[in-house]
Amino acid sequence: MTASPLRTRRVPTARLTMQITEVREEGEPVVLVHGNVSSAAFWRTTLPLLPERYRPIAPDLRGFGGTDPLPIDATRGLHDHVDDLAALLAALGVTRAHLVGWSMGGGVVMQYLREHPAAVRSVTLVNPVSPYGFGGTRGVDGILNSADGAGSGGGTAHPEFVARLAGGDRGEESPLSPRSVLAACYVKPPLRPAYEDEYVEAMLTTRTGEDHYPGDSTATTVWPGTAPGTRGVLNSLSPLHFRIDDLHLVDPKPPVLWIRGEDDVIVSDTSMFDLAHLGAIGAVPDWDGTPAQPMVAQTRGVLERYAASGGAVREVAVAGAGHAVHLERPEEFGSALLEVLEVLA
């Protein structure tokens, strides 16, 4: 395996112009999809790990990095990103690919598999968002806590974090600065990842506002007083708009690797970003007993049905790692990823 320098380029597609990061233009395609408040830069330690027989492609999603910042229609869930990805692969001449998705990118990958199963060689989910979205549900089957999706959507973001993101804050004087959130939540403290400055810059490429991050919101009389709107990132992740409970019906069923850090505080059954859990611990006032969303259990339930229907699923829980296991344990992550890639070798 020979390390190659990372390079970026913008690729015109039928929908928008997307920026991609890559190391070579030959080999079996492996598409790596980043998460929320990030960009393809978060794959910088992963891309060079892949042997030369693979062609890693890491796109910036719309509204992040160097891709056109078109608005996000949240009523389509993650379909804007899925359709953008399909257009990108068509422009690159890629008909089948391995898909790797981190956090929100895991949701994009699951939705892509649901829509285009024959185009997917394998799936790797890295600390993925629940198949029932982020916030506003209870139980392993993702039952809505309220018909209006209360507890999810654009109104759940902390206003100071949004303001510091929009203002280009590169410091860590506030616990709500992007750098502080990266250090406290993306990875498990006390680890400070290599290339931290580059990751902060990637976070700061996030477009903010009602069409992007966090999106608009709707007032509700149901605790915690905010329900999703129809525009922007967090609304696209609301269970009102994003729900994948029939993944087991896709045909064919490529192999799935689910790898996660056991100490993830973002995607967790006790997530520090879930208002219901925060209410239970007294961090959000007037909690009415709404249960926390069991995000990990929900993902496990969907993948167990996939396996019971004939799909191959492997779960890897990495002790001592947080939300960005690919940054925290690059060698361990790379080994697990290569295993699923080479199932079809």
Side-chain angles (χ1 to χ4, degrees):
M1 178 172 63
T2 303
S4 302
L6 302 181
R7 55 182 182 264
T8 62
R9 62 184 171 111
R10 280 169 52 82
V11 179
T13 79
R15 289 174 57 80
L16 78 173
T17 296
M18 298 185 72
Q19 180 165 294
I20 65 172
T21 302
E22 56 191 351
V23 295
R24 66 187 72 90
E25 296 182 33
E26 303 81 28
E28 195 171 305
V30 180
V31 181
L32 302 104
V33 186
H34 67 80
N36 195 12
V37 192
S38 67
S39 78
F42 276 76
W43 296 113
R44 65 166 300 141
T45 58
T46 301
L47 272 65
L49 288 177
L50 295 178
E52 289 190 359
R53 62 170 297 226
Y54 295 106
R55 177 191 181 185
I57 303 165
D60 292 335
L61 299 176
R62 65 167 62 193
F64 302 94
T67 287
D68 289 350
L70 299 189
I72 294 171
D73 179 358
T75 65
R76 304 187 71 230
L78 293 175
H79 276 90
D80 274 351
H81 296 312
V82 168
D83 293 347
D84 291 349
L85 185 58
L88 172 67
L89 296 183
L92 294 174
V94 173
T95 56
R96 293 188 71 211
H98 300 276
L99 299 183
V100 183
W102 169 49
S103 193
M104 181 180 75
V108 175
V109 165
M110 283 187 276
Q111 189 75 63
Y112 197 98
L113 171 59
R114 189 171 179 251
E115 304 303 321
H116 308 285
V120 181
R121 292 181 60 84
S122 73
V123 167
T124 297
L125 303 173
V126 188
N127 297 78
V129 66
S130 165
Y132 302 112
F134 200 96
T137 66
R138 65 183 186 274
V140 295
D141 293 324
I143 300 168
L144 280 173
N145 292 328
S146 173
D148 62 3
S152 68
T156 64
H158 198 293
E160 183 180 341
F161 174 68
V162 177
R164 289 181 178 274
L165 194 64
D169 184 356
R170 292 171 173 78
E172 52 186 319
E173 293 77 15
S174 167
L176 290 164
S177 73
R179 188 180 298 273
S180 295
V181 171
L182 170 67
C185 303
Y186 283 36
V187 298
K188 182 183 179 181
L191 175 72
R192 301 298 289 256
Y195 309 109
E196 179 178 288
D197 288 345
E198 288 88 340
Y199 298 143
V200 171
E201 292 302 318
M203 295 171 75
L204 293 175
T205 67
T206 303
R207 276 57 166 198
T208 57
E210 292 190 337
D211 284 323
H212 298 291
Y213 180 84
D216 60 349
S217 62
T218 304
T220 177
T221 58
V222 179
W223 187 90
T226 186
T230 61
R231 300 152 59 194
V233 176
L234 293 187
N235 295 308
S236 73
L237 292 168
S238 164
L240 277 190
H241 307 308
F242 173 69
R243 181 181 182 90
I244 298 180
D245 53 6
D246 57 356
L247 199 64
H248 59 288
L249 299 180
V250 303
D251 182 35
K253 292 180 173 63
V256 175
L257 166 66
W258 174 27
I259 183 167
R260 60 184 179 84
E262 288 188 341
D263 296 326
D264 188 351
V265 298
I266 297 178
V267 175
S268 166
D269 290 353
T270 53
S271 170
M272 297 303 292
F273 289 69
D274 178 10
L275 295 186
H277 175 65
L278 293 175
I281 63 175
V284 175
D286 304 319
W287 180 59
D288 65 351
T290 298
Q293 179 186 6
M295 301 177 186
V296 173
Q298 289 175 349
T299 297
R300 183 173 293 113
V302 166
L303 293 181
E304 284 178 347
R305 288 198 296 274
Y306 186 87
S309 299
V313 176
R314 180 186 179 208
E315 178 181 350
V316 177
V318 181
H323 187 60
V325 66
H326 56 300
L327 304 185
E328 299 168 84
R329 304 291 180 81
E331 294 82 9
E332 196 168 344
F333 172 74
S335 296
L337 174 60
L338 281 176
E339 283 187 26
V340 73
L341 296 182
E342 292 174 358
V343 164
L344 301 174

